[in-house]
């Protein structure tokens, strides 16, 4: 999606639309793309949280490694959203 948007659609739109139309199209596309990305990030976060909550304490060693990875995920998400 991002590759198509950046390397195919936007150059074609720039060549065939006026500056005002191109900017309006770019604004609408970026707004929709941001929404898609935010939904994907939220889905990954929620599924990770579900796995974090349901991790079995019987597998303490594997769970502790997962907790570390989950912490890195959360830190990364805070960085991306700010």
């Amino acid at each position: 999606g991002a590759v198509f948007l950046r390397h195919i659609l936007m150059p074609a739109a720039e060549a065939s639309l006026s500056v005002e139309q191109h900017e309006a199209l770019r604004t609408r596309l970026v707004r929709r793309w941001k929404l898609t990305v935010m939904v994907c990030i939220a889905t990954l976060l929620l599924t990770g949280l579900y796995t974090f909550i349901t991790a079995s304490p019987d597998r303490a060693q594997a769970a502790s490694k997962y907790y570390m990875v989950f912490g890195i995920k959360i830190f990364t998400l805070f960085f991306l959203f700010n």
Side-chain angles (χ1 to χ4, degrees), residues 46-57:
L46 291 174
T47 57
L49 182 62
Y50 174 78
T51 305
F52 179 77
I53 290 171
T54 61
S56 173

Side-chain angles (χ1 to χ4, degrees), residues 44-55 59-73:
L44 287 173
L45 180 61
L46 291 174
T47 57
L49 182 62
Y50 174 78
T51 305
F52 179 77
I53 290 171
T54 61
R59 295 173 284 188
Q61 221 173 16
S64 68
K65 288 180 185 177
Y66 180 76
Y67 294 154
M68 179 184 66
V69 171
F70 186 74
I72 293 169
K73 268 184 173 181

Side-chain angles (χ1 to χ4, degrees), residues 13-71:
E14 188 176 359
S16 62
L17 299 174
S18 69
V19 174
E20 295 83 21
Q21 290 173 328
H22 180 259
E23 284 301 315
L25 176 65
R26 188 181 75 73
T27 302
R28 287 191 307 267
L29 289 173
V30 167
R31 187 179 310 130
R32 286 187 178 200
W33 184 245
K34 280 184 181 181
L35 178 63
T36 302
V37 170
M38 293 296 180
V39 168
C40 291
I41 290 172
T43 301
L44 287 173
L45 180 61
L46 291 174
T47 57
L49 182 62
Y50 174 78
T51 305
F52 179 77
I53 290 171
T54 61
S56 173
D58 297 335
R59 295 173 284 188
Q61 221 173 16
S64 68
K65 288 180 185 177
Y66 180 76
Y67 294 154
M68 179 184 66
V69 171
F70 186 74

